[in-house]
C-alpha cells in the first residue's frame, strides 16, 4: 500500500505535457482504486476462510498466532502513525492509510484470538476474529471504491453543489444566463468548473469573467475554472422584447 502510494505521488507530481494536459494527477486516484479493490478481494477471501473455520475449526497454535500478532502490531502502528500525519485530503494517502489501519486492526484482533485460544482453548476465536477483520476491510474498500469511482465518473465533489454554483454565477452583476455548467474533480482536492456565461450587451465581459473567477475561488474553493463569456446577441434581445 505504501509503495503504491509513493509511486502514485511521484507520477502525480510530473508536470503536464504532451497528451497528458493535466499531467498524471489521477495516478493517485488509480492507486486508491487499486487499494480499494485489493481490500475488497482480501475481505471476501477472509470471509470465506472465516466461515469455513467457524463451521469446521482447525487446530490452531495459539502461541504462534499471538507471537506473530505481537510482532506485527508495533510495525503497523509505526506505519499508521507515519502516514496518518501526511495530507489526508489526498485519496491516495487515505487509501494507503486505510490499508495499513485494517492491517493494524487485524493484528490486534489476531492477538486477542491467539490469547483466547491459549487461555480457553476456544479455537473458533480465530474465525470470529477473521470475520471482524473482513468487516473492516469491506467497509474500507467500499469507501475507497465509492470516492475514487466518483472522481473517475467526473461527479461533482462532495460538498460542492452544481446548482448552487450555477445560481451564484447567474446572480453576478451583468450576467443574464449560465449554461453548459460542469463541475468535477481532476484529482482529490482539485475541483474544476467550466461554464458558458452570457452577459448583457452593455456589460464588461472581461470584468464579469474576473468576478466569476474570484467567486469560484473565494466562495467554493475552485481554483481551476474555464469560463466562456459572451455578450447576448441582438436577436436574443428582440426575442425577449417580443415576449
Amino acid at each position: 500500500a505504501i509503495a503504491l502510494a509513493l509511486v502514485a505521488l511521484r507520477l502525480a507530481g510530473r508536470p503536464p505535457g504532451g497528451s497528458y494536459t493535466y499531467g498524471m494527477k489521477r495516478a493517485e486516484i488509480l492507486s486508491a482504486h487499486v487499494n480499494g479493490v485489493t481490500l475488497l478481494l482480501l475481505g471476501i477471501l477472509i470471509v470465506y476462510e472465516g466461515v469455513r473455520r467457524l463451521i469446521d475449526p482447525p487446530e490452531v497454535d495459539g502461541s504462534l498466532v499471538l507471537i506473530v500478532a505481537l510482532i506485527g502490531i508495533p510495525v503497523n502502528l509505526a506505519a499508521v502513525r507515519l502516514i496518518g500525519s501526511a495530507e489526508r485530503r489526498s485519496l491516495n494517502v487515505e487509501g494507503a492509510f486505510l490499508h495499513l489501519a485494517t492491517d493494524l486492526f487485524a493484528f490486534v484482533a489476531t492477538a486477542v484470538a491467539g490469547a483466547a485460544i491459549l487461555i480457553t482453548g476456544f479455537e473458533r476465536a480465530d474465525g470470529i476474529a477473521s470475520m471482524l477483520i473482513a468487516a473492516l476491510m469491506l467497509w474500507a474498500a467500499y469507501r475507497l471504491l465509492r470516492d475514487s469511482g466518483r472522481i473517475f465518473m467526473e461527479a461533482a465533489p462532495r460538498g460542492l453543489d452544481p446548482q448552487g454554483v450555477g445560481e451564484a454565477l447567474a446572480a453576478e452583476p451583468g450576467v443574464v444566463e449560465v449554461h453548459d455548467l460542469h463541475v468535477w474533480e481532476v484529482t482529490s482536492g482539485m475541483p474544476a468548473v467550466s461554464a458558458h456565461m452570457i452577459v448583457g450587451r452593455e456589460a464588461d465581459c472581461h470584468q464579469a469573467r474576473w468576478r466569476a473567477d474570484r467567486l469560484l475561488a473565494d466562495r467554493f474553493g475552485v481554483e481551476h475554472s474555464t469560463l466562456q463569456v459572451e455578450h447576448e446577441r441582438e436577436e436574443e434581445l428582440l426575442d425577449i422584447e417580443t415576449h
Side-chain angles (χ1 to χ4, degrees):
I2 293 176
L4 189 61
L6 289 173
V7 170
L9 282 169
R10 186 73 177 267
L11 291 173
R14 291 183 177 180
S19 58
Y20 292 93
T21 56
Y22 278 117
M24 301 185 74
K25 296 190 181 300
R26 281 203 176 166
E28 291 192 83
I29 309 307
L30 185 59
S31 167
H33 198 76
V34 170
N35 266 324
V37 170
T38 304
L39 285 170
L40 177 64
L41 295 176
L42 285 172
I44 292 171
L45 180 63
I46 293 173
V47 165
Y48 169 78
E49 189 65 21
V51 170
R52 191 178 71 81
R53 286 175 176 239
L54 285 173
I55 295 171
D56 183 21
E59 186 177 339
V60 179
D61 185 347
S63 59
L64 180 61
V65 170
L66 184 58
I67 290 169
V68 172
L70 292 177
I71 293 170
I73 287 173
V75 174
N76 273 267
L77 185 60
V80 167
R81 287 187 63 183
L82 179 66
I83 204 164
S85 62
E87 177 53 71
R88 293 280 299 281
R89 282 196 315 164
S90 167
L91 193 57
N92 176 43
V93 174
E94 181 71 7
F97 176 80
L98 286 175
H99 211 127
L100 290 169
T102 56
D103 276 355
L104 177 60
F105 178 79
F107 277 115
V108 171
T110 303
V112 172
I117 293 169
L118 274 176
I119 295 168
T120 67
F122 181 57
E123 292 182 338
R124 281 190 171 87
D126 182 49
I128 293 170
S130 297
M131 298 302 285
L132 292 173
I133 294 163
L136 181 61
M137 282 185 166
L138 293 174
W139 170 79
Y142 165 75
R143 275 189 57 185
L144 288 175
L145 293 174
R146 177 198 64 190
D147 293 344
S148 62
R150 284 181 61 86
I151 293 175
F152 281 132
M153 296 301 292
E154 299 196 335
R158 293 185 179 278
L160 193 57
D161 177 29
Q163 181 71 24
V165 172
E167 289 175 355
L169 289 174
E172 282 291 288
V175 178
V176 297
E177 183 184 334
V178 175
H179 58 267
D180 287 341
L181 173 68
H182 301 282
V183 183
W184 74 100
E185 209 167 4
V186 177
T187 187
S188 49
M190 187 179 174
V193 169
S194 67
H196 188 186
M197 297 169 54
I198 306 295
V199 298
R201 291 180 62 81
E202 303 303 321
D204 186 332
C205 62
H206 301 293
Q207 280 292 324
R209 188 200 58 76
W210 183 84
R211 283 195 302 267
D213 239 11
R214 295 320 314 152
L215 169 74
L216 292 171
D218 297 340
R219 182 168 167 183
F220 298 102
V222 178
E223 298 288 346
H224 187 91
S225 58
T226 305
L227 303 173
Q228 179 183 354
V229 183
E230 295 180 13
H231 288 104
E232 59 184 344
R233 291 173 295 182
E234 185 69 34
E235 53 267 30
E236 290 174 342
L237 285 175
L238 291 173
D239 185 58
I240 292 170
E241 290 172 358
T242 303
H243 287 81

